[in-house]
Amino acid sequence: MMKISPSVLSADFTKLTAELSALEAAGADYLHVDVMDGRFVPNITIGPFIVEALKRATRLPLDVHLMIEEPERYIADFAKAGASIITVHAEATRHLHKVVQAIREHKARPGVTINPGTPVSAIEEVLNDVDLVLIMSVNPGFSGQGFIPGALKKLETVRRMINERGLKTELEVDGGIKVANIAEAARAGADVFVSGSGIFGTPDYKKTIAAMREAVRA
């Protein structure tokens, strides 16, 4: 079943409570939370304190994407703050399997992600240990970028790996997802779709999310 995970960094933070309520009413499945440290990516965004506030403000599961160096230092903090899913970059740690284990030990669902320039082989050895794989379809760090077509081949490859192993792992795609291209990503194998400006840049979140679901069903 497809899931929509709006990226909260594209929301209007001057009326965040209203934005979160609108997403719930629109039928969003997750709330995607991008955490950036100014090292792994150029920008700096939010930390556990804001994740904790989001947890209090919404019923949506928090899909927390750590774009940070050495994520193992902060797994406990984000889990305690209320992250439902914690996704780490294969490129950001020397001990990926250990980090994945730590996420599950802290009662969150582990995810792993790779950048556009990273081969799928980087996550092959932890595929059986994660609940979610995230394929970046833009270079991380900035919103509003265009979808990188090469991500489709990666989605196809990971979907095949998941199916061949008989896993229930969710396959998420993040970057440039809009109504116009979501069906293409779904055909490639994605079943969780992160969208920032593709949702928040539209006047009616409910109508947009419904259009995304219809595009995938068509």
Side-chain angles (χ1 to χ4, degrees):
M1 182 179 71
M2 74 171 292
K3 294 179 180 177
I4 303 294
S5 188
S7 178
V8 72
L9 283 189
S10 294
D12 183 345
F13 272 67
T14 65
K15 54 176 185 179
L16 187 57
T17 300
E19 292 274 66
L20 296 175
S21 296
L23 292 176
E24 291 178 8
D29 300 287
Y30 293 149
L31 183 67
H32 193 79
V33 184
D34 286 317
V35 176
M36 307 181 193
D37 65 355
R39 294 178 62 208
F40 186 72
V41 293
N43 282 332
I44 298 173
T45 56
I46 64 178
F49 180 78
I50 300 299
V51 171
E52 185 178 2
L54 290 170
K55 180 67 174 179
R56 294 196 302 268
T58 183
R59 296 187 300 270
L60 295 173
L62 301 184
D63 173 20
V64 176
H65 175 193
L66 300 185
M67 287 179 266
I68 65 177
E69 294 282 353
E70 299 177 0
E72 54 268 26
R73 297 181 298 162
Y74 301 104
I75 297 303
D77 295 329
F78 282 102
K80 183 179 179 180
S84 300
I85 304 166
I86 299 178
T87 299
V88 298
H89 275 261
E91 306 92 348
T93 178
R94 296 179 181 178
H95 306 289
L96 183 58
H97 185 267
K98 185 176 180 179
V99 177
V100 166
Q101 286 181 313
I103 295 170
R104 200 175 296 282
E105 287 169 1
H106 284 91
K107 311 303 181 185
R109 297 174 58 203
V112 64
T113 182
I114 51 174
N115 288 333
T118 302
V120 168
S121 58
I123 63 172
E124 188 170 1
E125 295 302 322
V126 297
L127 184 58
N128 286 45
D129 302 295
V130 298
D131 292 347
L132 180 143
V133 173
L134 169 56
I135 299 299
M136 294 300 299
S137 46
V138 296
N139 286 294
F142 298 94
S143 63
Q145 299 180 67
F147 183 90
I148 296 174
L152 295 172
K153 184 177 180 181
K154 285 186 176 179
L155 288 168
E156 291 171 354
T157 300
V158 177
R159 171 52 60 194
R160 184 168 58 251
M161 293 165 63
I162 289 171
N163 291 346
E164 287 175 351
R165 299 186 190 194
L167 303 174
K168 295 181 180 180
T169 310
E170 292 182 315
L171 181 53
E172 185 172 56
V173 60
D174 180 3
I177 295 294
K178 303 178 184 299
V179 172
N181 64 9
I182 193 171
E184 191 174 20
R187 286 193 295 270
D191 52 17
V192 182
F193 305 88
V194 177
S195 182
S197 59
I199 293 174
F200 288 102
T202 67
D204 188 330
Y205 302 162
K206 186 172 183 178
K207 183 177 180 180
T208 300
I209 289 175
M212 288 179 166
R213 296 192 192 282
E214 182 60 30
V216 170
R217 286 194 295 265

